Amino acid sequence: MNNKDVLLTGVTGFLGSHTAIQLLNKGFHVVGTLRSKDRVKSIKDVIARYTENIDNLRFAEADLSDSDIWFELTKNIDYVQHIASPFPRELPKRENDLIVPAKQGTLNILKASAKNKVKRVVMVSSSAAVLYGKTKRELNNVLNENDWTDETNLKDTTPYFRSKTIAEKAAWDFIKQDNSGLELTTVLPGVILGTVLEKDFGTSANIVIKILDNSLPALPKIGFDIVDVASLADLLVKAMGSPQARGNRYIASAGYLTFKDVAQILKKQYPNRKIPTMELTNLLTRLFSIFEPELKPILLELEVRRKLEISKAENELQWQPVSVQQTVINCAKSIFENGIVE
């Protein structure tokens, strides 16, 4: 067992809570940050169901934009898992409301980590920092960790995708100029599904919820790379400890599914349930998004298949993610268990 100390930002989030569980189960001491102390009891109860080492978890209230607090919190810390990120259910009116906190929060944590001699920061970026801002021709290529989203291309990006790209680029720029010895590894997940631990769940689980609760009459013709939340947490822990991961980006995906693929997996798992499998025309999806603002960001996926090379994490870090089919089933089972869908 090790007694290394890890600062984990965003412990109440879907990925944050899963990562805390895995770190605690591996013997780490964890300081989890949250925006409000009101959530301490509820998140502690949730995490305690999955680990015997709950006494090794402490909490700290912290805002990403408050630079002073991160200097305090990174003292005597070995590693930082930077998971917290502003992710809105609807696009903000001003995109800087998203971009500035994402970038500034990342830089605040890196500066504090460098000053306090933290060994490594593992930062959760997004496959959105690779896949967008592309020309039609570029979209024919299979993209990998050497590719970057062009955030100046406003036609093929959304404010959220730009915020993830700008924040990750700022992190690498900081590391290039820093001479404290701080190491950085970034992990770039696709859509995160899998076991929901409580009613307060991640935004991406809505894909499965909307198919199960019948609020989508038909499905948009789009797809996405998917990763199981527990597999992703496992990759974050591997990225923290592996010497090879230093200075590397890792795409986290177990494969690509369309909305229809997801619906068919659910239909097979729940044959008696009414599950939509009919696809909307692209025109109808565009019209539908006028009334369903949550669909706005996915319009970029219509008529395009963005292809990712997903083998680097598996080859370099011996990461073995749960299959995409199992990920969808894990998500659905937990949605019923938590009473999110009847």
Side-chain angles (χ1 to χ4, degrees):
M1 281 298 211
N2 58 64
N3 290 321
K4 292 237 162 42
D5 291 281
V6 181
L7 177 67
L8 185 155
T9 70
V11 71
T12 58
F14 185 33
L15 175 57
S17 47
H18 272 274
T19 308
I21 289 162
Q22 294 203 22
L23 288 167
L24 292 166
N25 285 337
K26 286 189 164 65
F28 290 95
H29 288 220
V30 178
V31 179
T33 74
L34 28 66
R35 278 201 296 266
S36 161
K37 277 273 170 69
D38 299 347
R39 282 295 320 273
V40 168
K41 186 183 175 335
S42 61
I43 197 65
K44 191 174 183 177
D45 290 348
V46 167
I47 291 171
R49 295 206 297 266
Y50 301 91
T51 181
E52 290 174 2
N53 300 331
I54 194 68
D55 293 344
N56 293 340
L57 175 62
R58 292 183 294 120
F59 295 95
E61 198 172 67
D63 192 293
L64 286 175
S65 61
D66 175 357
S67 55
D68 297 339
I69 189 86
W70 300 106
F71 282 111
E72 285 309 308
L73 291 177
T74 46
K75 283 176 183 166
N76 306 314
I77 288 290
D78 300 292
Y79 301 100
V80 174
Q81 289 278 0
H82 179 33
I83 298 172
S85 176
F87 187 97
R89 287 182 189 228
E90 289 178 25
L91 293 178
K93 295 275 184 285
R94 294 194 309 274
E95 67 174 58
N96 275 344
D97 293 349
L98 198 55
I99 291 169
V100 173
K103 179 181 173 180
Q104 207 41 58
T106 297
L107 290 175
N108 286 341
I109 286 162
L110 288 170
K111 282 175 191 160
S113 298
K115 191 167 183 187
N116 284 321
K117 298 284 182 267
V118 169
K119 183 172 167 46
R120 182 178 295 175
V121 173
V122 177
M123 172 186 174
V124 178
S125 178
S126 166
S127 59
V130 165
L131 285 170
Y132 295 89
K134 304 297 176 205
T135 62
K136 282 256 179 353
R137 206 175 80 225
E138 286 172 322
L139 284 170
N140 294 324
N141 303 332
V142 178
L143 302 169
N144 64 30
E145 285 86 351
N146 298 319
D147 294 295
W148 282 92
T149 288
D150 174 6
E151 75 277 13
T152 63
N153 174 340
L154 301 187
K155 238 174 86 173
D156 191 44
T157 53
T158 67
Y160 177 68
F161 299 161
R162 294 196 281 279
S163 80
K164 292 307 275 187
T165 307
I166 289 165
E168 193 193 345
K169 281 183 175 173
W172 287 116
D173 287 344
F174 175 87
I175 290 293
K176 265 194 211 114
Q177 286 153 22
D178 174 62
N179 50 21
S180 71
L182 177 67
E183 298 172 359
L184 177 67
T185 302
T186 60
V187 174
L188 292 73
V191 168
I192 308 170
L193 296 176
T195 304
V196 172
L197 301 180
E198 53 167 345
K199 278 198 163 145
D200 183 5
F201 54 87
T203 322
S204 46
N206 276 323
I207 290 168
V208 176
I209 291 166
K210 282 184 177 303
I211 292 173
L212 288 175
D213 71 6
N214 234 340
S215 61
L216 286 179
L219 308 165
K221 268 194 241 181
I222 64 165
F224 25 76
D225 273 79
I226 285 178
V227 63
D228 186 274
V229 64
S231 296
L232 178 54
D234 172 53
L235 180 56
L236 292 180
V237 179
K238 284 182 160 67
M240 189 175 86
S242 155
Q244 177 145 22
R246 183 183 74 139
N248 269 302
R249 303 172 88 198
Y250 292 98
I251 288 166
S253 164
Y256 182 93
L257 292 178
T258 61
F259 262 90
K260 186 171 183 170
D261 295 332
V262 173
Q264 283 171 331
I265 292 165
L266 293 170
K267 204 163 183 61
K268 197 172 163 193
Q269 184 72 13
Y270 302 103
N272 300 328
R273 209 173 169 88
K274 191 167 176 272
I275 285 170
T277 50
M278 209 177 79
E279 290 188 305
L280 285 167
T281 65
N282 291 342
L283 178 66
L284 275 174
T285 303
R286 288 181 202 283
L287 284 172
F288 199 44
S289 75
I290 296 168
F291 308 103
E292 281 278 347
E294 284 174 21
L295 282 176
K296 274 277 195 308
I298 67 177
L299 295 180
L300 287 180
E301 313 306 324
L302 289 176
E303 296 165 49
V304 68
R305 160 81 205 265
R306 295 173 197 268
K307 298 180 282 291
L308 274 179
E309 169 55 59
I310 60 176
S311 62
K312 182 179 171 183
E314 293 179 39
N315 294 340
E316 289 188 8
L317 303 182
Q318 284 66 59
W319 178 56
Q320 293 176 307
V322 169
S323 74
V324 283
Q325 290 79 4
Q326 192 56 49
T327 298
V328 170
I329 291 166
N330 291 349
C331 193
K333 279 185 175 159
S334 65
I335 284 164
F336 289 126
E337 280 163 15
N338 282 285
I340 296 164
V341 173
E342 291 303 315

